[in-house]
Amino acid sequence: QSPWYLKRQMLAFMEGRRGAHPEDTFGQQMAAIAKTLPDQAAVDALVAYIDSLSGHTPERTVKGNTKKGEDYYTMVCGSCHGPKAEGNELLDSPALAGVDDWYLVRQFELFRKGIRGADDKYGRQMVMMAPALPTDEDVTNVVSYIQSLAEK
């Protein structure tokens, strides 16, 4: 992930804007870990370290109709997240290509249920967009397409 996005998420966990929902077990775990960071300098150091790690293409675990996913992605997601799911800092939209597909499915489900995003202005954007992919199959197809972008 981009350093600007990692930093924003770490601060959101630290400040209780992410991982506070009672049904967000994994978010609560991250919030507890983030709160062990003593200050902004520690967040910056952690983000710099993560950014220094070499990336790799995650293993495909979600299998959907990539063509249908491309159509949905182009119509619904691409204007914010970029045509190749590379993200767009000016729109506060993180990269999606290269993120584990199972994680994208989980996070989308959390947005859809209102478990993630309720206390975060950036997350609320995704809560509002979640109905644009109304079925699990639609989400699977889009995530399958996003994964194909990471493999290219």
Side-chain angles (χ1 to χ4, degrees), residues 43-105:
V43 172
D44 291 341
L46 178 60
V47 168
Y49 171 72
I50 293 170
D51 190 44
S52 75
L53 301 172
S54 61
H56 71 283
T57 302
E59 179 183 342
R60 180 184 288 266
T61 63
V62 174
K63 296 180 181 19
N65 183 316
T66 304
K67 177 59 180 142
K68 285 183 181 179
E70 179 180 13
D71 292 343
Y72 254 124
Y73 181 86
T74 301
M75 291 185 303
V76 177
C77 315
S79 60
C80 290
H81 291 281
K84 303 221 182 294
E86 71 276 17
N88 184 332
E89 184 175 3
L90 295 175
L91 296 177
D92 296 308
S93 301
L96 301 175
V99 176
D100 285 293
D101 53 9
W102 58 265
Y103 180 81
L104 292 176
V105 169

Side-chain angles (χ1 to χ4, degrees), residues 77-143:
C77 315
S79 60
C80 290
H81 291 281
K84 303 221 182 294
E86 71 276 17
N88 184 332
E89 184 175 3
L90 295 175
L91 296 177
D92 296 308
S93 301
L96 301 175
V99 176
D100 285 293
D101 53 9
W102 58 265
Y103 180 81
L104 292 176
V105 169
R106 180 193 305 157
Q107 295 309 303
F108 196 85
E109 184 63 24
L110 294 175
F111 283 124
R112 191 188 294 170
K113 292 179 178 178
I115 295 171
R116 180 172 173 196
D119 298 322
D120 173 13
K121 75 175 184 176
Y122 304 108
R124 278 193 298 275
Q125 295 170 346
M126 279 302 300
V127 171
M128 290 186 297
M129 289 303 300
L133 298 179
T135 70
D136 292 344
E137 181 181 5
D138 296 329
V139 172
T140 298
N141 292 340
V142 169
V143 168

